[in-house]
């Protein structure tokens, strides 16, 4: 019996809302697609519009709360070739469903920090015993609740640069393992799947190897040790300028340092800007044969240009418009040189590695903790872990019904980017560089962006909107089989 237009439309909506990336799991030293078993290399960008200063408690805004802005940025990231975003500061009480679903639809995963710069929302290295309390754990568990159901949640950072100076780390390492343990226990009890938990370290070479060794070993040799991190991120800015090399930037030292890693290691930030514009030559090294045997990619700092720095790839304005910077174009050209198929090739030896047993012999610096006695959960914490937090704001995938970016977005040449939209991907694909030249797809415009706006901030789409031709074309291949079955 022929299907009516309403049936076809309903089927199309069902298909788009159900499209989801495959989960990525940690297997030895690699990230691996849970279905295809392809290796997953992070090609990422830091995504924190406004920086830490832009995160204001009670404002009702965080980087993943406005669907209109996420749609614009996801479209630009998809063209850039990004497959991962890192988001630092999140309000777990807000609705993130549409933003997470948009990034999911275009094959972009999310690495999320559970802490924030607000009081009592992170460990205080100067007052560990007081800051490690049940109220703090309630906060970070709320972040888990908000993102545990999204298939594109790649992992959670339990800490970021908590140890920054040699000789000052004190008792921080055991507390970092305690927070990691608590997060993993909560995930095990309340998440529909295992979600990795890791740490993001400052590139302080004197304590870097010890930080990695301490956090990635297993206490008593037990594979059930939940205080061990699942991945290790490094914020590294040692490659500066077009004249830097694999050796002058010290990348060779990092490869040697992590050569025997048993968990994924990647740059959780990179992109030195001491020489501008940036050349991003390190991309070829990071994803080349000298490093891919050890490293799992990296995250460029950062997507949005902040007033206080020159790290941004894109300028964004209060009225929702945006403009690509030259750094975006340069990075896109570097990504377009990568051999994605080769990067996806698995390494059976890397996926079968086992973590070493914790011991003081792993630590080289006299000032670094050699104690693997991990603090027990604070008062009230075990109840939260066993029963879950009260009234969790649990996220879920929602239909992505709007694909076309309505706000004007300009290339680095000042021209208006034509036909900017997201293209939802089949559910077994993550995004990847595809040879696009975003600034080249522009038309002359007499209305270039400006630094001020009188139009106000755009409203979130809230999950509603019209179906446009881009959505129909992108989804057609996904519904052919279902239509055939329905018509038979």
């Amino acid at each position: 019996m022929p299907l009516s237009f309403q049936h076809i439309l309903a089927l199309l909506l069902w298909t788009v809302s159900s499209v989801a990336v495959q989960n990525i799991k940690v297997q030895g030293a690699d990230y691996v697609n849970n279905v295809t078993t392809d290796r997953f290399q992070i090609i990422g960008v830091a995504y924190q519009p406004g920086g830490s200063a832009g995160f204001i408690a009670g404002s009702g805004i965080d980087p993943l709360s406005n669907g209109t802005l996420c749609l614009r940025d996801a479209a630009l990231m998809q063209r850039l070739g990004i497959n991962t975003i890192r988001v630092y500061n999140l309000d777990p009480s807000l609705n993130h469903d549409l933003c997470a679903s948009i990034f999911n639809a275009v094959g972009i995963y999310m690495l999320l920090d559970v802490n924030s710069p607000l009081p009592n929302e992170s460990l205080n290295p100067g007052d560990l015993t007081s800051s490690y309390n049940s109220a703090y754990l309630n906060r970070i568990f709320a972040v888990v609740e908000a993102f545990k159901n999204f298939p594109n949640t790649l992992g959670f950072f339990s800490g970021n640069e908590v140890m920054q100076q040699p000789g000052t780390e004190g008792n921080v390492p055991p507390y970092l393992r305690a927070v990691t343990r608590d997060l993993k226990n909560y995930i095990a009890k309340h998440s529909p799947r295992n979600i990795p938990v890791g740490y993001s370290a400052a590139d302080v070479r004197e304590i870097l190897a010890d930080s990695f060794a301490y956090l990635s070993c297993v206490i008593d040799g037990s594979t059930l040790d939940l205080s061990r991190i699942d991945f290790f991120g490094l914020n590294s800015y040692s490659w500066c300028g077009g004249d830097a090399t694999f050796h002058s930037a010290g990348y060779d030292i990092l490869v040697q340092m992590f050569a025997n890693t048993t968990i994924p290691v990647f740059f959780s930030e990179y992109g030195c800007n001491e020489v501008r514009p940036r050349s991003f030559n390190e991309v070829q090294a990071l994803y080349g044969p000298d490093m891919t045997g050890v490293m799992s990619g990296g995250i460029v700092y950062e997507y949005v240009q902040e007033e206080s720095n020159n790290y941004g790839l894109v300028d964004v304005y209060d009225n929702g418009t945006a403009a690509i910077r030259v750094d975006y174009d340069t990075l896109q050209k570097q990504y377009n040189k990568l051999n994605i198929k080769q990067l996806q090739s698995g390494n059976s030896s890397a996926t079968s590695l086992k973590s070493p047993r914790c011991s003081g012999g792993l630590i080289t610096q006299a000032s670094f903790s050699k104690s693997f006695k991990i603090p027990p959960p604070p008062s009230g914490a075990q109840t939260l872990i066993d029963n879950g937090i009260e009234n969790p704001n649990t996220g879920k995938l929602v239909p992505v019904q709007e694909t076309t970016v309505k706000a004007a977005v300009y290339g680095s040449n000042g021209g208006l980017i034509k036909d900017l939209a997201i293209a939802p991907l089949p559910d077994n694909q993550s995004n990847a560089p595809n040879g696009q030249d975003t600034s080249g797809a522009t038309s002359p415009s007499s209305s270039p962006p400006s630094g001020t706006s009188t139009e106000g901030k755009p409203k979130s789409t809230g999950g509603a909107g019209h179906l446009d031709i881009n959505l129909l074309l992108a989804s057609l291949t996904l519904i052919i089989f279902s239509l055939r079955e329905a018509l038979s």
Side-chain angles (χ1 to χ4, degrees):
M1 182 179 70
L3 290 180
S4 67
F5 173 77
Q6 287 79 8
H7 286 134
I8 295 174
L9 185 61
L11 181 57
L12 179 59
L13 277 172
W14 172 84
T15 304
V16 175
S17 66
S18 65
V19 168
V21 297
Q22 304 291 358
N23 300 147
I24 302 296
K25 65 180 179 180
V26 169
Q27 191 170 332
D30 286 349
Y31 284 112
V32 176
N33 185 295
N34 201 39
V35 174
T36 67
T37 70
D38 289 339
R39 186 184 184 192
F40 180 81
Q41 284 266 333
I42 293 172
I43 303 174
V45 68
Y47 186 54
Q48 189 71 37
S52 59
F55 180 67
I56 303 173
S59 67
I61 299 172
D62 73 11
L64 298 178
S65 63
N66 187 315
T68 300
L69 301 185
C70 287
L71 179 67
R72 175 199 66 195
D73 296 336
L76 289 174
M77 290 181 196
Q78 189 174 29
R79 290 191 177 198
L80 179 59
I82 292 299
N83 66 18
T84 305
I85 56 173
R86 178 184 181 180
V87 186
Y88 297 82
N89 304 318
L90 291 157
D91 183 342
S93 70
L94 301 181
N95 188 321
H96 305 101
D97 293 352
L98 183 55
C99 280
S101 298
I102 288 171
F103 284 113
N104 170 80
V106 298
I108 295 178
Y109 292 84
M110 303 179 295
L111 276 170
L112 309 168
D113 288 67
V114 297
N115 301 289
S116 93
L118 301 179
N120 305 315
E121 294 191 355
S122 63
L123 281 181
N124 179 356
D127 190 6
L128 290 164
T129 55
S130 295
S131 59
Y132 178 55
N133 55 55
S134 60
Y136 162 64
L137 292 179
N138 192 94
R139 196 271 176 193
I140 65 176
F141 294 162
V143 176
V144 171
E145 290 286 353
F147 291 94
K148 68 183 184 182
N149 288 334
F150 299 120
N152 57 327
T153 297
L154 182 59
F156 297 108
F157 285 110
S158 59
N160 177 60
E161 296 191 351
V162 185
M163 298 177 286
Q164 298 188 18
Q165 296 292 333
T168 63
E169 61 276 2
N171 291 321
V172 170
Y175 277 88
L176 285 175
R177 289 195 69 129
V179 173
T180 300
R181 174 203 61 207
D182 298 341
L183 278 168
K184 292 170 73 171
N185 267 322
Y186 192 90
I187 290 168
K189 287 180 176 290
H190 302 286
S191 173
R193 65 180 175 94
N194 179 49
I195 302 174
V197 177
Y199 178 69
S200 177
D203 191 0
V204 182
R205 296 294 169 96
E206 295 90 338
I207 60 172
L208 184 59
D210 285 347
S211 299
F212 172 73
Y214 186 95
L215 296 173
S216 64
C217 63
V218 289
I219 297 175
D220 296 331
S222 172
T223 57
L224 302 177
D225 177 16
L226 295 183
S227 71
R228 165 188 170 272
I229 56 172
D230 297 315
F231 59 85
F232 187 81
L234 170 62
N235 299 338
S236 179
Y237 295 87
S238 61
W239 188 300
C240 294
D243 295 331
T245 68
F246 177 74
H247 296 286
S248 70
Y251 278 20
D252 56 334
I253 298 173
L254 292 176
V255 168
Q256 183 179 7
M257 182 182 296
F258 299 117
N260 296 317
T261 181
T262 58
I263 59 174
V265 177
F266 59 91
F267 287 154
S268 43
E269 289 176 11
Y270 76 96
C272 173
N273 69 349
E274 291 181 7
V275 180
R276 297 192 296 267
R278 292 182 283 182
S279 67
F280 289 113
N281 289 345
E282 65 264 46
V283 166
Q284 302 311 311
L286 179 58
Y287 299 98
D290 288 333
M291 298 190 73
T292 52
V294 174
M295 304 289 287
S296 292
I299 297 171
V300 169
Y301 192 82
E302 62 180 321
Y303 178 77
V304 173
Q305 171 67 9
E306 299 180 40
E307 292 183 4
S308 60
N309 66 33
N310 281 294
Y311 285 101
L313 303 177
V314 177
D315 287 308
V316 299
Y317 303 99
D318 289 342
N319 62 354
T321 62
I324 286 173
R325 295 167 66 87
V326 171
D327 279 3
Y328 175 105
D329 295 333
T330 304
L331 183 60
Q332 186 176 52
K333 289 183 175 69
Q334 293 286 2
Y335 282 157
N336 284 339
K337 299 176 185 178
L338 300 180
N339 185 332
I340 300 302
K341 188 172 183 178
Q342 187 176 51
L343 290 176
Q344 292 176 336
S345 300
N347 182 346
S348 58
S349 61
T351 57
S352 61
L353 296 171
K354 304 298 181 183
S355 295
R357 183 188 183 100
C358 294
S359 71
L362 296 174
I363 308 304
T364 61
Q365 297 293 315
S367 63
F368 204 93
S369 177
K370 295 180 178 63
S371 170
F372 290 94
K373 185 178 181 180
I374 310 305
S379 175
Q382 196 60 50
T383 300
L384 294 176
I385 293 171
D386 291 340
N387 302 330
I389 63 173
E390 291 186 7
N391 303 315
N393 178 33
T394 306
K396 64 182 183 304
L397 283 181
V398 297
V400 178
Q401 298 172 273
E402 188 82 46
T403 63
T404 299
V405 176
K406 301 298 176 59
V409 179
Y410 301 86
S412 61
N413 57 11
L416 183 67
I417 297 175
K418 299 177 292 185
D419 304 321
L420 183 60
I422 63 168
L425 300 177
D427 62 4
N428 64 342
Q429 291 186 12
S430 57
N431 194 45
N434 54 20
Q436 291 199 52
D437 177 6
T438 304
S439 283
T442 60
S443 59
S445 172
S446 58
S447 302
S450 62
T452 59
S453 168
T454 58
E455 297 180 34
K457 294 182 179 179
K459 296 179 180 179
S460 170
T461 60
H466 69 275
L467 286 169
D468 59 31
I469 190 64
N470 295 293
L471 182 56
L472 294 171
L473 292 174
S475 304
L476 183 58
T477 57
L478 299 174
I479 65 170
I480 288 176
F481 178 78
S482 297
L483 285 173
R484 183 183 300 155
E485 290 293 306
L487 290 168
S488 62

